[in-house]
Structures are given as C-alpha cells and as structure tokens.
C-alpha cells in the first residue's frame, strides 16, 4: 500500500443534529498505523464515523482521503475505505464463505476473486478453518474478526473500526488489537479505532480524545501524558475532561 493513499485529513469539522451540536471544530490527520479515538458515550464518535462513511452529509469543515475532498470522491471513497460499525451486519444463517462472497460482489468481485482475497486475511485473523461454518456458530471474537476480514477484502487504505472490541473479554480484546496492529503495520493501512475503554490505547499509539463533541487531545499517548506531567491515561483523561472549558 502506498502511504499517500492511507491518509485522512479532517479539518474544522462540525456537525449538529438540529440544535444539538455533536462535533465542534474537529481537526486531525490519520496516517498508516492505529489511531485510537477515545471518547465516552455521547462524545461524538459515531457521528464522526457517519461523516467519514458519508452516511451523513457534511455540514461544516472538510474531510480529505489521500488528499482528495471526500465530497468529490463520493461513491469512489468506498474503494478506499473499510468499515466495521458497532452493529453486527453479518448474515448469521450463511456460512463464512457465503458472507464474504456476498460482500465481495458488492465491490465487483466474483466468488473466486473474493475467496482469493479473503483466504490470506482469514489466515491472518485465525479463521482459515471456518470457511464452511455458519456465522451463527462463531464466538463473538471470531464474528468480530470476520467483520474485519470482510472490511479488508477489497484492500482499502483506510480502516474504520467503531468499538471493535465491544463484548470481548480482556484476552480477546488484546488478541484482536494485536492482530489488527500487525496486519495494518505490514500493509500500511491507516486505522481509526474508536473505544471508550481507557486501557485500550497503547503508550505509543496516536490518540484522539473526544469529549462532548470537542477534540481535547491529539498526539502520541505517552507524549500527551508526559506533556501534562501525569502518570497514565486515566489521569490524563480525568484532567482533560474535568477541566472547565469555554
Ligand atoms: N440522530 C440523532 N439525533 C439527535 N441527537 C443525536 C443523534 N445521534 C446522536 N445524537 C447526539 O449527538 C451526540 C453524539 O452522539 P454519538 O452517537 O455520535 O456519540 P458516541 O461517542 O458514538 O456515543 P456512544 O459511545 O454512546 O455510541 C450525543 O449527544 C447524542 O445524544
């Protein structure tokens, strides 16, 4: 993957639902590797995802993928983007292979191309022996992994994961994160990983802290903690979110 393809620039993005402002003047960049988007319930994470995936029309500000305005890319953005939303969208009564081929068809891939793309991914995500199994028989962690495989099948440069570890136990969360981290480092994919869990961002991860629609921090996690003369992320989060803001 060419690094210039794996780039997202968000500039002064704001969004309101009627009178309720959900995002306020948000700016950040994504480049290859994981950027953690940390925010409690209602912070604006899903609204941001809806704008990045064009489910919602932009109101103010700009989003660029690989330096092209998203508004101009329109449906071509789908080729650049892989997405896993919070809600599961797998067909439980189809098997793994059928789910992947169905999704591949949406991206113009025939069944054999879909499987050729999917098999190395299934192997990386530890699902290579599950092709013929009904999705309903997979555990929660494996269903999540399958959703990520599906999102990566068309080799997107940008991967958006909205709380991908929801419902997983701590070991499952760590293992999923490690697997995504390795894949994206090797393939130079820019990942935005939304979470409300303070133990998910790693010390060296890029971190965005979103709270009540405002971006309160943007930088490497351990550098942000050191800049504020604090010990850890829970302290940083409390410090930033408890401070009075204009
Ligand atoms: N359809 C909507 N109509 C009105 N207000 C909305 C709508 N969707 C979200 N909001 C409000 O916008 C703000 C941001 O919500 P959003 O769902 O983007 O946050 P979130 O960080 O994804 O939260 P969660 O972790 O609970 O999913 C909240 O105040 C929420 O109540």
């Amino acid at each position: 993957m060419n690094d210039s393809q794996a780039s997202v620039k968000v500039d002064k993005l704001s969004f309101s639902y009627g009178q309720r402002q959900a995002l306020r003047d948000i700016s950040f960049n994504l480049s290859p590797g994981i950027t953690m988007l940390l925010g409690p319930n209602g912070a604006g994470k899903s609204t941001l995802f809806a704008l990045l995936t064009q489910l919602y029309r932009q109101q103010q500000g700009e989003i660029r993928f690989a330096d092209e305005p998203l508004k101009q890319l329109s449906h071509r953005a789908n080729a650049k983007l892989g997405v896993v939303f919070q809600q599961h969208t797998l067909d439980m009564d189809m098997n793994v292979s059928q789910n992947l081929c169905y999704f591949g068809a949406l991206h113009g891939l025939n069944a054999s191309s879909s499987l050729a793309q999917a098999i190395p991914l299934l192997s990386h995500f530890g699902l290579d022996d599950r092709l013929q199994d009904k999705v309903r028989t997979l555990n929660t962690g494996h269903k999540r992994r399958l959703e990520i495989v599906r999102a990566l099948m068309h080799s997107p440069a940008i991967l958006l994961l909205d709380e991908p570890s929801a419902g997983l136990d701590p070991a499952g969360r760590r293992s999923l994160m490690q697997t995504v981290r390795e894949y994206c480092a090797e393939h130079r994919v820019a990942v935005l990983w939304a979470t409300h869990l303070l133990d998910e961002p790693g010390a060296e991860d890029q971190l965005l802290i979103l709270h009540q629609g405002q971006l309160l921090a943007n930088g490497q996690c351990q550098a942000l903690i050191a800049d504020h003369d604090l010990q850890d992320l829970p302290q940083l989060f409390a410090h930033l979110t408890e401070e009075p803001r204009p």
Side-chain angles (χ1 to χ4, degrees):
M1 191 76 63
N2 174 347
D3 277 7
S4 66
Q5 289 300 307
S7 126
V8 176
K9 292 194 166 92
V10 171
D11 190 35
K12 299 192 173 74
L13 194 67
S14 294
F15 188 88
S16 299
Y17 298 96
Q19 296 299 310
R20 184 190 294 268
Q21 187 153 26
L23 292 176
R24 196 182 300 252
D25 215 21
I26 302 290
S27 300
F28 64 87
N29 295 340
L30 301 181
S31 52
I34 293 192
T35 298
M36 303 295 298
L37 172 65
L38 179 66
N41 294 136
K45 304 182 297 298
S46 298
T47 304
L48 177 60
F49 271 58
L51 291 167
L52 290 167
T53 53
Q54 301 185 95
L55 284 177
Y56 295 161
R57 196 187 294 268
Q58 286 172 46
Q59 295 172 345
Q60 276 184 309
E62 188 181 53
I63 299 173
R64 298 173 84 89
F65 288 175
D67 238 6
E68 271 194 89
L70 183 56
K71 279 181 183 163
Q72 283 172 27
L73 280 166
S74 185
H75 67 276
R76 284 186 297 128
N78 294 338
K80 299 180 185 294
L81 201 60
V83 189
V84 177
F85 290 107
Q86 276 183 39
Q87 292 78 14
H88 295 283
T89 56
L90 295 165
D91 187 317
M92 296 293 150
D93 293 317
M94 292 206 286
N95 67 27
V96 167
S97 166
Q98 289 166 328
N99 266 277
L100 293 173
C101 290
Y102 177 75
F103 186 77
L106 299 178
H107 280 277
L109 299 172
N110 62 29
S112 61
S113 304
S114 291
L115 291 178
Q117 289 284 103
I119 281 168
L121 283 161
L122 289 167
S123 169
H124 183 88
F125 281 84
L127 293 170
D128 38 353
D129 57 345
R130 307 303 301 266
L131 258 184
Q132 301 310 322
D133 292 343
K134 283 229 167 97
V135 168
R136 163 175 320 286
T137 68
L138 303 183
N139 67 34
T140 307
H142 285 163
K143 286 189 189 112
R144 271 295 174 205
R145 284 166 180 258
L146 178 57
E147 289 188 299
I148 297 173
V149 165
R150 188 179 61 169
L152 288 169
M153 253 173 61
H154 60 296
S155 307
I158 302 157
L159 178 65
L160 305 179
L161 302 175
D162 195 358
E163 306 215 8
S165 54
L168 304 191
D169 58 31
R173 290 202 275 129
R174 277 194 299 278
S175 156
L176 182 68
M177 166 123 11
Q178 184 59 23
T179 312
V180 171
R181 213 183 269 292
E182 285 164 7
Y183 180 88
C184 295
E186 185 180 343
H187 296 271
R188 309 297 294 158
V189 177
V191 184
L192 186 63
W193 177 301
T195 182
H196 62 269
L197 300 170
L198 290 166
D199 64 349
E200 285 206 333
E204 294 183 5
D205 284 335
Q206 290 300 309
L207 176 67
L208 306 170
I209 298 183
L210 190 63
H211 182 62
Q212 295 177 350
Q214 286 183 270
L215 199 56
L216 302 184
N218 177 0
Q220 193 201 37
C221 184
Q222 65 188 5
L224 290 169
I225 293 166
D227 286 350
H228 288 84
D229 230 358
L230 296 168
Q231 300 299 316
D232 55 27
L233 184 54
Q235 281 187 5
L236 176 69
F237 187 78
H239 172 75
L240 292 173
T241 56
E242 286 163 14
E243 242 175 37
R245 287 185 306 284

